[in-house]
Amino acid sequence: MEPGLPALSVDFKKSTTVKHTTCLLALLLPFTTQLNAQKKADRKTLGNLQTHITYLASDKLEGRRTGTPGEQLAAEYIASQMKLAGLSPAGDSGYLQTFLVSEGKLIATTSHLTVNRSTLTPGEQFIPLPFSAQKSAKGDVLPDVNEPDNIWLFNVKDFEMSPHADPLEIYRQNAREAAKAGATGVIFYNGTETPKEVQKWLSIPVEPLKIPVMWVNSEISKVLDDAEDLRIDMQVDFASGRRTGTNVVGHIDNKAASTIVIGAHFDHLGHGEDHNSLAPNDQTIHHGADDNASGTAALLELARQLKASKLEKYNYLFVAFSGEELGLFGSKYFTEHSTIPPSSFNYMINMDMIGRLDPAKGLEVAGIGTSPVWPALLQQTIPASIRTTYDSSGTGPSDHTSFYLKNVPVLFFFTGTHSDYHKPSDEAAKINYDGELTVLKVVYELVEKTNSMEKLAFTKTRDKQTSTSARFTVTLGIMPDYTWQKPGVKVDGVSDNKPASKAGILANDVIIELGPHAIVNLEDYMQALSGFKKGDKTTVKVRREDSEKVFDIQF
């Protein structure tokens, strides 16, 4: 050892430990980097979800009712986010695709009812019935005295109506008989319906009578009950109930033969003007954070992520639908007017109300019977920690139904209903953002897994019953066209081996009678079904093009 140089000392045990630690760190570093990157990506997604939902459910958009300025603001926002993500426009005008919604009659501002010089409020105190003529009538009326060439008053309490009777049909029959007897107008009072229920009747297409006909609420009914004589001035006018809805469509074109469709509806209830609110008499803004700003936000995030991915075996079409709350108007229009034919769609995933994942209720996934690959794929993809309920049906009250009816495999993701459903209280602050991120990851992973597979096979499934006030134990085996605006129930699809298919009923037939029951609308059809049980035989009358046909069926 030379003088002046420091002594060199080596601790072999410590050196080995350092070496092993360095090797372990080298092995862990990529994993740690990947984990940190994933956490950063999740934070970005969570932030974006919150931004999207907060805006879409804000007061500024006034509930995103189809055809309103609030819906247009939402459509513009969604289009701007699609553009920001790098999607190509795939609508009729840029990203936008417009369609007409026919909503029956509206009470025109010229309609009025005056009773003893008191002018009543349309839509609340009085409502013209859908079969009313657009005419006026005046008269000095004595209660309980119905004279020719005067207005007739009908006390509904005097009617003998069975619990299963259709009140609108009873009113129509009485008004028609009154018109034949010379009445110049008819007013029904003491009916058990609410104004909200009567307003819904205006969407029912019926032939008009030759005289004006009105319904009045319980408040005005008391006035008519107590009066000795009445001076009545009535005028009925209807406005056209048509408005324009807007879908928003973005495309990732990977030059593939088939396309994966991801959809969510963005419309909601506005102030409850369409009478589909579950908050009685509450006309404040229905925010629709879960229904369905949640699904729309996930749609936008999946678009951003898939655009940045290398999953390029298929093209992707992202569609934000409007008109869903009115009866799947937007998705039905899209499947019939898409620039990309539905026959080239690989499958469709629909996200509707995915913002309230609750461990106790879990996740609901419908449509797993629409392709033989779904059950195994879902089992591989959904974490075992998430309680999951499955439904095989490809039909239901959301937009995937429109694709299933075009023979496209579908999946429907839903985290369940809750006490804020269709109420103003469905607000952004109540969204479970971590839960929504979990659902979004499931959908992304499904898309990822199918990128290594060929185009999925389609299989038909059983029908899912439509919700109604009627309770029934049999089914005809048809899928109604929810957008049909004329009398009867139009058949949009027929299930194999069900009474309808066995009898020879076809898609596009219009059911106008079921047994002894006349069918004017979907509720009539459901009420008629409730009167039958398994094994019963009856007939179905349909209108097919320009002819009528009667089929024998057995439930």
Side-chain angles (χ1 to χ4, degrees), residues 51-286:
T51 298
H52 299 325
I53 293 173
T54 299
Y55 177 75
L56 292 170
S58 66
D59 286 356
K60 181 179 180 180
L61 272 61
E62 295 192 283
R64 310 185 307 278
R65 179 175 176 249
T66 300
T68 64
E71 181 226 33
Q72 288 299 302
L73 285 173
E76 290 167 8
Y77 176 82
I78 295 164
S80 70
Q81 293 299 311
M82 287 183 174
K83 183 177 181 180
L84 193 63
L87 273 59
S88 302
D92 300 329
S93 175
Y95 294 93
L96 307 182
Q97 180 192 56
T98 57
F99 57 93
L100 286 176
V101 175
S102 176
E103 51 185 337
K105 301 178 179 73
L106 300 177
I107 305 172
T109 55
T110 50
S111 289
H112 65 261
L113 175 60
T114 302
V115 177
N116 290 344
R117 298 185 180 179
S118 294
T119 301
L120 308 185
T121 305
E124 296 179 16
Q125 293 178 312
F126 79 90
I127 300 172
L129 293 177
F131 49 77
S132 173
Q134 299 190 71
K135 290 183 177 179
S136 62
K138 294 181 181 180
D140 294 311
V141 181
L142 297 174
D144 302 321
V145 179
N146 291 330
E147 301 174 319
D149 299 320
N150 204 355
I151 296 169
W152 287 23
L153 305 180
F154 280 116
N155 187 344
V156 179
K157 287 181 179 179
D158 295 336
F159 294 170
E160 293 183 5
M161 293 171 58
S162 76
H164 301 295
D166 179 357
L168 182 61
E169 180 60 21
I170 299 296
Y171 292 165
R172 190 178 69 86
Q173 290 173 2
N174 279 274
R176 184 174 55 197
E177 293 304 316
K180 286 181 180 179
T184 58
V186 169
I187 295 175
F188 292 98
Y189 67 102
N190 281 331
T192 58
E193 307 82 20
T194 65
K196 187 175 180 179
E197 291 169 332
V198 178
Q199 283 271 15
K200 289 183 179 180
W201 292 347
L202 292 177
S203 64
I204 298 173
V206 288
E207 289 296 319
L209 300 178
K210 295 181 179 180
I211 59 173
V213 185
M214 289 184 176
W215 174 97
V216 295
N217 70 0
S218 56
E219 174 195 355
I220 306 306
S221 294
K222 290 178 183 177
V223 174
L224 301 186
D225 270 331
D226 297 338
E228 295 182 0
D229 56 78
L230 298 156
R231 177 65 180 170
I232 295 176
D233 183 352
M234 62 191 296
Q235 169 77 41
V236 173
D237 285 308
F238 293 115
S240 175
R242 294 172 72 87
R243 47 185 148 136
T244 300
T246 304
N247 295 327
V248 191
V249 193
H251 188 215
I252 298 175
D253 186 3
N254 291 322
K255 310 301 180 185
S258 298
T259 298
I260 294 169
V261 183
I262 298 176
H265 80 89
F266 71 93
D267 64 304
H268 195 54
L269 311 189
H271 292 258
E273 299 95 331
D274 294 315
H275 316 292
N276 42 9
S277 169
L278 294 181
N281 303 317
D282 194 338
Q283 296 182 352
T284 55
I285 294 170
H286 289 58

Side-chain angles (χ1 to χ4, degrees), residues 470 472 514-515 517-519 523-532 555:
F472 46 90
L514 178 55
H517 307 282
I519 307 300
E523 184 66 20
D524 286 347
Y525 171 70
M526 298 301 185
Q527 292 289 348
L529 275 181
S530 68
F532 295 99
F555 291 108

Side-chain angles (χ1 to χ4, degrees), residues 344-393:
S344 70
F345 294 162
N346 185 2
Y347 59 84
M348 187 268 187
I349 291 180
N350 180 29
M351 299 174 291
D352 192 350
M353 295 178 62
I354 59 169
R356 297 283 192 99
L357 186 62
D358 180 344
K361 295 180 180 178
L363 177 65
E364 297 180 34
V365 183
I368 69 164
T370 61
S371 180
V373 308
W374 285 141
L377 269 180
L378 288 162
Q379 190 174 23
Q380 296 166 19
T381 306
I382 299 176
S385 58
I386 299 177
R387 180 182 176 184
T388 308
T389 304
Y390 296 102
D391 187 335
S392 64
S393 178

